Amino acid sequence: EDQVTQSPEALRLQEGESSSLNCSYTVSGLRGLFWYRQDPGKGPEFLFTLYSAGEEKEKERLKATLTKKESFLHITAPKPEDSATYLCAVHGFGNEKLTFGTGTRLTIIP
Amino acid sequence: DAGVIQSPRHEVTEMGQEVTLRCKPISGHDYLFWYRQTMMRGLELLIYFNNNVPIDDSGMPEDRFSAKMPNASFSTLKIQPSEPRDSAVYFCASSSTGVGANVLTFGAGSRLTVL
């Protein structure tokens, strides 16, 4: 069974203070690792898909990286509008399911 | 496109009552997913459809839960009878060629409270 563990559960940063969120996973053949952002009262919104170890993708202040066992979401010089819950999910071979972690709740303090 | 549309946004009901949640996927998307989100367990897949046919319902917690997709533009998730432990946010999502090739687009969710 595919499993995703995210850490930390919550993270508070000062505006401009860079950090990283972790996503550890076990999957029977990785077809893709996904990062989503979720704002309060809304559905998750897609950020990135990573397919193979060594791959990196960037969007504004966010950069996602992937190894064979984990993924990191690096946030550089964050702003208050980056405050949200960040969800990691994996898609394994043999089905069309996305298995999600419980997320990291990120708060950026002005 | 207006995105994935869910209704109602909020539902408060009493234990034992029937609850019906509705979803309109993005036009042209051939996969539809129902997820449930709680603080303790995060997002859990309940069931998904491909071309209106249920493919995997192994995540449906018990027989009290049922889902239908009578056509490409409408799906329902029904709970009968409802229990307090069913309280959660239920999300519908759709994609065009399955999870691997295209991303899921989620609706805004239906927050269910069972008293």
Side-chain angles (χ1 to χ4, degrees):
Chain A
E1 184 176 329
D2 301 342
Q3 290 188 337
V4 177
T5 302
Q6 292 188 246
S7 63
E9 289 187 11
L11 182 62
R12 291 171 62 90
L13 300 172
Q14 293 290 329
E15 184 173 359
E17 180 184 1
S18 301
S19 187
S20 298
L21 313 182
N22 178 263
C23 170
S24 298
Y25 65 90
T26 55
V27 64
S28 55
L30 182 68
R31 291 174 64 182
L33 184 140
F34 298 76
W35 283 98
Y36 282 80
R37 169 189 171 131
Q38 186 174 21
D39 293 301
K42 296 186 177 181
E45 181 179 341
F46 171 74
L47 290 174
F48 304 108
T49 309
L50 302 168
Y51 294 103
S52 58
E55 188 175 359
E56 299 183 352
K57 288 194 176 174
E58 290 188 61
K59 180 179 180 180
E60 295 182 356
R61 295 175 292 282
L62 299 176
K63 182 169 79 172
T65 62
L66 182 64
T67 72
K68 289 185 178 180
K69 294 183 178 180
E70 57 191 349
S71 176
F72 292 93
L73 184 65
H74 307 278
I75 183 162
T76 303
K79 298 181 178 181
E81 54 262 42
D82 296 320
S83 297
T85 295
Y86 291 86
L87 299 168
C88 173
V90 294
H91 181 203
F93 280 101
N95 58 68
E96 293 299 323
K97 298 178 181 182
L98 272 191
T99 300
F100 282 84
T102 52
T104 294
R105 187 172 68 254
L106 178 65
T107 303
I108 307 301
I109 304 163
Chain B
D1 198 320
V4 176
I5 299 172
Q6 293 187 245
S7 65
R9 289 297 314 278
H10 302 275
E11 176 89 8
V12 180
T13 190
E14 294 190 347
M15 183 173 62
Q17 296 298 306
E18 178 179 294
V19 173
T20 300
L21 308 179
R22 299 173 178 80
C23 175
K24 176 179 168 53
I26 291 174
S27 177
H29 281 191
D30 51 4
Y31 281 85
L32 184 140
F33 303 79
W34 282 100
Y35 280 86
R36 177 172 68 177
Q37 187 175 43
T38 61
M39 288 292 292
M40 289 298 296
R41 300 175 65 92
L43 270 169
E44 299 174 286
L45 178 65
L46 299 176
I47 185 172
Y48 75 92
F49 296 82
N50 178 217
N51 292 323
N52 312 338
V53 176
I55 303 300
D56 186 343
D57 66 355
S58 60
M60 297 285 261
E62 48 198 274
D63 292 345
R64 297 185 297 107
F65 286 68
S66 62
K68 295 182 180 180
M69 192 165 185
N71 58 63
S73 59
F74 184 65
S75 177
T76 60
L77 178 68
K78 185 173 293 186
I79 308 172
Q80 166 63 19
S82 58
E83 297 182 2
R85 59 188 167 133
D86 302 330
S87 298
V89 182
Y90 292 81
F91 286 102
C92 176
S94 67
S95 69
S96 60
T97 57
V99 167
N102 287 76
V103 304
L104 297 182
T105 300
F106 284 83
S110 294
R111 180 176 294 277
L112 174 64
T113 302
V114 184
L115 303 176

